[in-house]
Amino acid sequence: MISTSTIGFPRTGPAREMKKALEAHWAGTSDAQALLSTAAGVEAEAWRRQADAGIQLIAIDGTLYDHVLDATFQLGLIPDRFQAFKKSTAASASNASNGIAAGLPLYFALARGAEGATACDMSKHFDSNYHHLVPELDASSEPVPDWSMLLDRVKRAQGVVGAERAVPMVVGPNTLLGLARGSFDRSALLPRLVPAYAQLLKQLAELGVPEVQIHEPILTLSGSEELAADCSAAYRELAAVGLPINIVIPYDDVPEETYRWLVELPVAAISLDFLGVPGADYGSCTAQLIAKHGFPKSKRLGAGVIDGRGAWADDGKAARLVASLRELLGADQAISVQPSTSLQHVPYDLSAEPSVPTGLSRPLAFAAQKLAEIVAVAEAVQGAAPGSIQPLDLAAFTGAPEGVQRELPAELIKRAEPYEQRRPKQVQYRPFPTTTIGSFPQTPAIRRARLAFKKERISPDQYRERMAAEIGFCIGAQEALGVDVLVHGEAERSDMVEYFGLKLEGYYFTEHGWVQSYGSRYVRPPIIVGDISRTAPMTVHEFELAQGLTSKPVKGMLTGPVTILQWSFPRVDTTRKEQAAQLAMALRGEVADLAAAGCRVLQVDEPALREGLPLKASRRQAYLRWAVDSFRLATACAAPEVQVVTHLCYSDFGDIMQAIQEMDADVLTIENSRSDNEMIVALAGSGYPRDVGPGVYDVHSPVVPSVGWLADRIRSFLEAGLMGGDATRIHVNPDCGLKTRRWEEVLPSLRNMVAAAALVREEVEAAGAKKEKEGGTKRPSTPTKPGAGAEARAAGGGASTAPFACLCCLA
Ligand SMILES: CN1c2c(nc(N)[nH]c2=O)NC[C@@H]1CNc1ccc(C(=O)N[C@@H](CCC(=O)N[C@@H](CCC(=O)N[C@@H](CCC(=O)O)C(=O)O)C(=O)O)C(=O)O)cc1
Ligand SMILES: N[C@@H](CCS)C(=O)O
Ligand SMILES: [Zn+2]
């Protein structure tokens, strides 16, 4: 009764075929049919690999961009602003032989935005570094399902692996609603979605699939216990179709109360995550839940025991776990061995790596290797020899445990002076100072140069010169645009985490270990294999080059310890907390070196701070404590005069406002533009007392925002009451880095951003002057808290023309 199954596989292709095909299609160099044909090839290759590995029930995965978008799109839940695309899709579908191809302009408009329609918001998928597109719903949302994409995929899969092994997968209705934004009543909308899913199940049954996987990770969240009645009703209706359902719940254990009713659902199989987050200091409670409450004999237990999102091989634990489940539930209990999450979170195949250091090739496992592990575990347990899988001695290759930074030293996490005292000593700004988040376009030329350097076709000196030229160009461009606080552009960083991993001791790097981050954007997470330390400065050279070219402040630019950890594959022999502390100590050295090199504004990005938040409310405080303390450990050595900026993006931060304040940064730049000022309202509402740079435009869209549109955004910050209307404390910047954009988009976008800031600045100053004239009231842009003295002096000396008043001007 032990079988094998998957619940998702990398959708990238072994050699990033999907990325290349998508980018060619968007660039207009390949048509829809070429894109669909590449996608079909990539999908077939993935299914074939799973079949060849011996997996019995193969999840029929695949997407052109994002699987959550696929569900929203096929349910026809299209926001009104895309009406024009909807109509043109309908028109071309009626003429075209291939309706899927005809739908692509609308599909990609939802994903990437288009003229007149901003893209759907993008958000972290649970606590992973994958990003889904957020469904937008309202009370009147009515599905208009067309499941052609999925049905077409299933038919193709049946041709590859046989009808008996091809298991379709779809994001479930509870999860879709749980991830959606908008004003709607979940209980009212669910019954409207369910018939659309039932229609899919009927069509799948007609195709002769053995079962369907309905992915419901939303059931891992605290609060899911309240879904009992709605979810049970929905699954009763779906089960009535007669197609066996496997409800798949990855990313964490389910809350105990949820487990109680989950096992009663009329489904054929329940797939649970037995592992949770790799390296977390808390474990998954799934095995305990089963031990305590049992598991119904009538259903198959999908045992997610192979780590779907860690890079390490199973160490024998999986077989032991399955064997113990079998002992508990009986040898007649149907159990399927499978990954804890979709394997989309790990690279495709370790054997593609040209050089894996000795001692690592056995313990590491990517998607292809994990398939073999699934089969080996099932065979071992079936053959009653779970011990045949040898445990690994992790300490043997991860270095001496004595080197581990176990605690965060309390005396090192406080800055020398409190915020109120140090902020007046830092760089002061005119109203609406403009800046960017760090990266500028990673052009094909930059990537080619890096490749040439790696392949030793150019010397280290030539590569350094190339990067220096990029920095020069970048500084020149920002000067010409009139940006106030400059950045060096991050040309030398292939990725903001990979770069630091490469410079730090304790990491292993892959050459082909790509993992999809969103759409056509992939990352190569470095793998932590030992204790982490810094052996030399990592960013000082580039900072000095850039600062040497301008008198405006250039931001020192670092990635924070939590983000480096979160976007690496962590060790599993020590906790994440300990690894974050090691990273923080290494970064602390860099902060000191940057400050010594004259850095006045230091940005430490923590976009993954929220991503690392445990899904269960009860586990959050402990995480936030060490996460915030790690950031402080890295930054607290900065002198009071150094302005510490942090940047957060890719998440909603409403529920960690307190932690954000505790980071003790002087300036917070935060993604904002896709979420309708939600963050601004939250910040204004909480009376956040420090400088804020809310993103004014979406960096994921190729659309160049107009001056008028940007000015409205900036005005809306004042209207929301941000910083009490003190415009010198409201920084104007894009949502995130510009590395994915082209200069042709960046230059006009930034030009418009600077112009919009100037426009609203003039308005604010004119309004202030008028008020002053009328009643001698204070100018709205005059700060009343820290920085007031500096601003007053700067204003006296012509604040509206000076880009900023720096420390030396104030001396
Ligand atoms: C901020 N984000 C990040 C996340 N995670 C990270 N680890 N890093 C992040 O920055 N998570 C949240 C968000 C997600 N956002 C993004 C945004 C952009 C990307 C991205 O652009 N990824 C690139 C990666 C490309 C890359 O690193 N390339 C390497 C190798 C160069 C290369 O591929 N060379 C080619 C030949 C090139 C040629 O001839 O033109 C080759 O080897 O074949 C490099 O630059 O050195 C992407 O393009 O996908 C990711 C996440
Ligand atoms: N400094 C980084 C932050 C990304 S979250 C960048 O600009 O790309
Ligand atoms: Zn960002």
Side-chain angles (χ1 to χ4, degrees):
M1 301 295 270
I2 305 283
S3 59
T4 53
S5 174
T6 50
I7 57 171
F9 200 73
R11 294 95 61 109
T12 54
R16 291 183 288 156
E17 289 84 351
M18 275 310 292
K19 172 188 179 60
K20 291 166 199 163
L22 281 166
E23 288 175 358
H25 178 65
W26 296 331
T29 56
S30 85
D31 63 14
Q33 289 306 339
L35 172 64
L36 293 174
S37 147
T38 303
V42 163
E43 290 168 6
E45 166 82 9
W47 306 328
R48 205 173 292 119
R49 288 212 185 204
Q50 295 172 72
D52 290 349
I55 301 292
Q56 290 159 312
L57 289 175
I58 298 166
I60 299 313
D61 203 355
T63 181
L64 290 173
Y65 198 97
D66 164 43
H67 59 284
V68 178
L69 172 64
D70 290 357
T72 322
F73 178 75
Q74 293 180 96
L75 283 161
L77 295 167
I78 312 296
D80 285 346
R81 65 183 180 282
F82 295 95
Q83 281 309 328
F85 290 88
K86 238 166 119 174
K87 284 195 190 112
S88 71
T89 301
S92 54
S94 58
N95 303 329
S97 56
N98 186 337
I100 297 175
L104 291 188
L106 171 60
Y107 180 87
F108 288 129
L110 289 159
R112 310 176 68 228
E115 205 58 57
T118 42
C120 293
D121 196 6
M122 198 159 67
S123 194
K124 289 280 170 200
H125 197 56
F126 295 87
D127 53 357
S128 77
N129 191 13
Y130 175 74
H131 306 77
H132 64 255
L133 286 155
V134 178
E136 290 174 33
L137 302 174
D138 60 37
S140 65
S141 294
E142 239 358 298
V144 188
D146 173 356
W147 296 101
S148 311
M149 266 179 163
L150 199 154
L151 296 168
D152 174 67
R153 183 173 295 126
V154 171
K155 285 185 218 158
R156 284 184 281 112
Q158 290 178 326
V160 177
V161 300
E164 66 293 349
R165 292 169 87 180
V167 179
M169 57 192 278
V170 65
V171 174
N174 291 287
T175 298
L176 196 97
L177 289 173
L179 299 181
R181 291 216 191 109
S183 72
F184 61 90
D185 172 0
R186 199 187 337 209
S187 296
L189 225 48
L190 183 64
R192 262 187 254 165
L193 291 193
V194 172
Y197 277 86
Q199 179 188 322
L200 168 67
L201 267 52
K202 275 183 210 133
Q203 288 171 301
L204 291 171
E206 281 159 20
L207 289 180
V209 301
E211 63 182 36
V212 59
Q213 286 183 9
I214 304 189
H215 286 232
E216 294 280 24
I218 208 80
L219 299 183
T220 59
L221 302 189
S222 308
S224 63
E225 48 278 6
E226 284 152 27
L227 300 177
D230 289 347
C231 195
S232 304
Y235 275 83
R236 271 198 302 278
E237 189 173 336
L238 293 175
V241 174
L243 179 66
I245 296 170
N246 178 1
I247 185 166
V248 181
I249 309 170
Y251 298 114
D252 208 355
D253 44 20
V254 294
E256 185 163 4
E257 280 310 307
T258 302
Y259 185 83
R260 288 176 193 273
W261 57 259
L262 176 69
V263 288
E264 303 292 331
L265 291 183
V267 295
I270 302 177
S271 290
L272 298 170
D273 181 337
F274 283 73
L275 302 181
V277 182
D281 21 18
Y282 50 87
S284 159
C285 294
T286 303
Q288 288 95 303
L289 286 175
I290 293 175
K292 185 167 169 194
H293 299 286
F295 189 84
K297 270 266 175 331
S298 56
K299 302 185 200 313
R300 187 174 80 240
L301 171 62
V305 294
I306 296 293
D307 190 357
R309 46 187 173 153
W312 298 101
D314 168 53
D315 63 352
K317 185 174 156 202
R320 288 196 299 278
L321 243 167
V322 179
S324 68
L325 287 169
R326 199 175 192 220
E327 210 174 292
L328 181 79
L329 303 172
D332 57 342
Q333 172 71 51
I335 299 178
S336 120
V337 180
Q338 56 195 51
S340 53
T341 65
S342 163
L343 293 173
Q344 74 175 92
H345 302 295
V346 293
Y348 210 99
D349 186 358
L350 185 65
S351 68
E353 290 307 314
S355 61
V356 182
T358 353
L360 279 188
S361 58
R362 168 67 181 90
L364 288 177
F366 295 170
Q369 288 66 41
K370 285 173 191 279
L371 296 176
E373 289 189 326
I374 293 169
V375 174
V377 168
E379 280 170 2
V381 179
Q382 192 74 52
S388 65
I389 296 186
Q390 284 303 310
L392 298 169
D393 178 9
L394 290 172
F397 60 86
T398 52
E402 308 86 71
V404 171
Q405 180 81 33
R406 292 208 180 273
E407 291 306 326
L408 294 156
E411 69 283 6
L412 296 185
I413 65 171
K414 261 207 189 118
R415 288 188 73 179
E417 289 180 8
Y419 174 76
E420 289 69 23
Q421 215 172 316
R422 69 182 187 253
R423 183 63 184 87
K425 299 179 178 173
Q426 298 170 2
V427 176
Q428 305 296 321
Y429 301 106
R430 61 176 172 174
F432 301 118
T434 52
T435 189
T436 60
I437 301 302
S439 59
F440 271 75
Q442 279 278 329
T443 59
I446 294 176
R447 296 211 187 274
R448 271 197 303 276
R450 189 155 35 247
L451 190 66
F453 166 57
K454 259 193 229 158
K455 303 231 152 150
E456 296 181 7
R457 289 200 292 265
I458 59 172
S459 70
D461 279 349
Q462 283 173 309
Y463 178 66
R464 262 196 295 276
E465 269 167 35
R466 241 340 244 98
M467 294 301 119
E470 286 297 332
I471 291 171
F473 180 77
C474 198
I475 294 291
Q478 293 168 87
E479 288 266 20
L481 288 163
V483 176
D484 295 326
V485 184
L486 311 194
V487 295
H488 78 279
E490 301 180 31
E492 77 289 0
R493 304 182 190 182
S494 54
D495 173 81
M496 59 188 281
V497 165
E498 192 185 71
Y499 178 79
F500 289 96
L502 274 167
K503 300 258 170 193
L504 291 165
E505 286 295 305
Y507 269 101
Y508 163 65
F509 281 86
T510 62
E511 216 165 280
H512 306 290
W514 296 100
V515 175
Q516 186 189 19
S517 184
Y518 66 90
S520 71
R521 296 295 174 174
Y522 303 168
V523 291
R524 228 173 351 190
I527 304 172
I528 304 178
V529 298
D531 291 333
I532 295 156
S533 58
R534 185 186 78 127
T535 52
M538 305 183 281
T539 62
V540 175
H541 172 70
E542 288 76 11
F543 166 76
E544 283 178 331
L545 267 181
Q547 188 63 86
L549 296 171
T550 176
S551 58
K552 291 185 175 184
V554 173
K555 294 195 259 192
M557 190 63 63
L558 300 175
T559 305
V562 182
T563 298
I564 297 186
L565 173 67
Q566 194 66 26
W567 294 349
S568 302
F569 286 119
R571 290 164 68 165
V572 285
D573 61 332
T574 78
T575 61
R576 291 171 99 85
K577 174 182 169 186
E578 286 167 2
Q579 293 168 76
Q582 290 187 355
L583 284 161
M585 284 307 280
L587 288 165
R588 189 177 171 93
E590 190 69 12
V591 168
D593 283 349
L594 278 168
C599 172
R600 288 169 283 164
V601 184
L602 173 74
Q603 183 173 312
V604 182
D605 298 323
E606 281 291 21
L609 184 83
R610 172 64 180 74
E611 169 192 318
L613 195 68
L615 298 179
K616 302 282 182 303
S618 59
R619 296 168 180 162
R620 291 183 170 178
Q621 264 323 307
Y623 161 78
L624 286 171
R625 187 69 275 140
W626 65 253
V628 166
D629 284 353
S630 304
F631 177 88
R632 293 177 63 148
L633 179 61
T635 52
C637 65
E641 291 76 14
V642 176
Q643 185 166 85
V644 173
V645 180
T646 192
H647 162 68
L648 306 176
C649 58
Y650 293 106
S651 298
D652 301 325
F653 298 97
D655 51 357
I656 61 162
M657 288 304 302
Q658 174 70 24
I660 293 174
Q661 298 207 18
E662 285 178 18
M663 291 168 81
D664 198 25
D666 302 305
V667 181
L668 166 68
T669 71
I670 194 153
E671 178 189 350
N672 165 67
S673 80
R674 281 201 196 192
S675 65
D676 210 12
N677 273 356
E678 261 170 38
M679 259 331 285
I680 299 317
V681 171
L683 284 167
S686 74
Y688 183 75
R690 302 186 184 189
D691 295 35
V692 179
V696 290
Y697 75 88
D698 174 21
V699 298
H700 298 104
S701 166
V703 177
V704 172
S706 68
V707 175
W709 187 87
L710 287 161
D712 281 345
R713 302 289 304 178
I714 299 169
R715 287 185 199 107
S716 74
F717 303 154
L718 289 178
E719 282 154 20
L722 189 64
M723 305 315 304
D726 177 355
T728 63
R729 317 283 301 273
I730 302 177
H731 301 227
V732 173
N733 44 254
D735 261 350
C736 186
L738 301 166
K739 63 189 161 200
T740 57
R741 301 263 58 94
R742 295 175 306 140
W743 278 104
E744 298 89 296
E745 295 152 353
V746 164
L747 290 175
S749 297
L750 290 182
R751 189 183 309 122
N752 290 352
M753 186 188 86
V754 171
L759 188 70
V760 188
R761 185 181 302 128
E762 271 172 28
E763 289 169 7
V764 163
E765 287 175 342
K770 191 167 164 235
K771 261 195 192 159
E772 224 168 290
K773 210 169 145 199
E774 283 169 2
T777 44
K778 254 197 287 175
R779 295 169 40 162
S781 61
T782 303
T784 50
K785 295 195 199 79
E791 169 65 15
R793 272 179 280 170
S800 61
T801 49
F804 66 96
C806 67
L807 283 176
C808 46
C809 305
L810 299 173

